[in-house]
Amino acid sequence: QVQLVESGGGLVQAGGSLRLSCAASGRTFSSYTMGWFRQAPGKEREFVAALRSIGGITRYGNSVKGRFTISRDKAKNTLYLQMNGLKPEDTAVYYCAASIRNTIVVVTTEYNYWGQGTQVTVSS
């Protein structure tokens, strides 16, 4: 049984930082592409960041570029999202996802496994 479990969400003031974690279990995701998405109320799920395991290639959504950093600890089978300079518009449920495709993917349909999400709320 594959499981992705996010943690680290919470309430933070604008300009603050949070680090999200995604613990993977059930298999080793060392060769998968891992990603973060977010979904605000009434909006579609939005691509935030992705990391291709082979080569360590990353890609970010335009709205978070320069503020967020995706990384992973292979030994712990854990994915991270460091979020700095948070803005109220970053408020959303953040989801971790894994894709068996060995390439950077930015659309939800290319991801095979999803976590349950963690709420991030940024106050102004």
Side-chain angles (χ1 to χ4, degrees):
Q1 190 78 7
V2 174
Q3 274 197 317
L4 299 174
V5 180
E6 302 96 335
S7 61
L11 174 63
V12 64
Q13 288 190 332
S17 298
L18 281 175
R19 188 177 80 156
L20 304 184
S21 299
C22 172
S25 62
R27 65 174 63 203
T28 300
F29 290 87
S30 58
S31 63
Y32 284 39
T33 288
M34 302 296 293
W36 288 98
F37 288 76
R38 67 187 183 186
Q39 189 165 19
K43 294 189 177 181
E44 293 188 353
R45 197 164 293 190
E46 174 192 17
F47 170 73
V48 174
L51 186 152
R52 176 187 167 190
S53 295
I54 298 175
I57 297 170
T58 59
R59 182 173 292 181
Y60 296 91
N62 288 335
S63 60
V64 307
K65 207 172 292 184
R67 299 187 296 125
F68 291 10
T69 303
I70 187 172
S71 62
R72 75 184 303 168
D73 184 329
K74 288 187 177 181
K76 295 182 178 179
N77 218 17
T78 299
L79 181 74
Y80 301 101
L81 184 69
Q82 178 67 44
M83 305 186 295
N84 299 328
L86 283 163
K87 305 175 182 179
E89 51 263 43
D90 293 319
T91 295
V93 177
Y94 284 70
Y95 297 91
C96 167
S99 171
I100 62 174
R101 293 196 62 184
N102 186 22
T103 185
I104 288 288
V105 287
V106 302
V107 295
T108 58
T109 52
E110 295 290 351
Y111 283 83
N112 306 94
Y113 305 101
W114 291 86
Q116 83 291 347
T118 186
Q119 176 71 47
V120 171
T121 302
V122 184
S123 63
S124 57

